[in-house]
Amino acid sequence: KNQESSQRVRLSFRRWQPRCYTLRSKRVFSLLLNQVRYHAMTDGEARRPSPLTDATFASTLLFSWASPLLKLGSTRPLEEEDLPQVHPKDSSSYNKSYMDRIWKNCQSNKTTLARGLLIDFLKTTLPCQIILAANSAARIGQAVALGLLMEQFSSTGKTSEGYLWSGVMIFCGLIAFPTKQRLYFEMCRKGLQVRVGIIAKLYEKTLRLSSTS
């Protein structure tokens, strides 16, 4: 009986096997396999902390904290074990708790979730707004300095003024370039944090529903 049952399982598996080898099934299977491998690994053995956690100001500004992972990726394809842990503020547990606090504040103030997210966005992105103002001022100053430098070529002004406006252009460029990259990184990170928090709350709500609903 055991042999007959095993043969039936093998036959049913062979009938089901060609259907599994579609492109979509392979992708789903690879995702499930990665999740199993991720939960099977221990944090102490296979996962190192996020390099962004202990990054200095210069490393954060110049994104040098990501250089070891990028250097490893240039030598060989990256694998699951090569990726470090996410930053604590980027984890699903932290963002789920953060969304809980926002929702409780919305309920206490009798406001909508959209308004609560907007208020939180304006408060938490205040450094990004300062960076945006500095970037805009630097780009405007660079354009003005370029116009004044072009006037020096067409007029018989002092040579020192030309060097002055050239220095202003270089100084504004040194401000505009890193602030632009930093602004893009922080805004994308904030959007992903909100997305992770909302998705975590949706999954938590789904798991609480009964099977009949």
Side-chain angles (χ1 to χ4, degrees), residues 51-124:
L52 186 58
T53 306
D54 300 329
T56 61
F57 177 77
S59 178
T60 305
L61 184 64
L62 301 176
F63 298 96
S64 60
W65 54 270
S67 298
L69 185 63
L70 296 176
K71 185 177 180 180
L72 181 63
S74 63
T75 57
R76 62 174 177 81
L78 295 176
E79 298 179 358
E80 181 72 20
E81 294 80 3
D82 299 328
L83 301 178
Q85 295 179 3
V86 296
H87 194 273
K89 292 186 177 180
D90 298 329
S91 62
S92 59
S93 59
Y94 176 85
N95 288 287
K96 184 178 71 66
S97 302
Y98 194 81
M99 290 300 299
D100 285 333
R101 292 195 296 269
I102 294 177
W103 177 241
K104 290 179 181 179
N105 291 331
C106 293
Q107 288 180 332
S108 61
N109 297 327
K110 296 181 180 181
T111 58
T112 60
L113 180 61
R115 186 173 182 180
L117 289 174
L118 178 61
I119 295 173
D120 177 76
F121 178 80
L122 294 176
K123 289 181 179 180
T124 55

Side-chain angles (χ1 to χ4, degrees), residues 61 130-139 142 168-182:
L61 184 64
I130 298 174
I131 293 174
L132 178 61
N135 180 265
S136 301
R139 296 176 74 175
Q142 198 173 22
V168 171
M169 284 184 58
I170 295 173
F171 178 74
C172 291
L174 293 175
I175 296 177
F177 178 73
T179 52
K180 177 185 176 182
Q181 305 302 324
R182 189 65 196 173

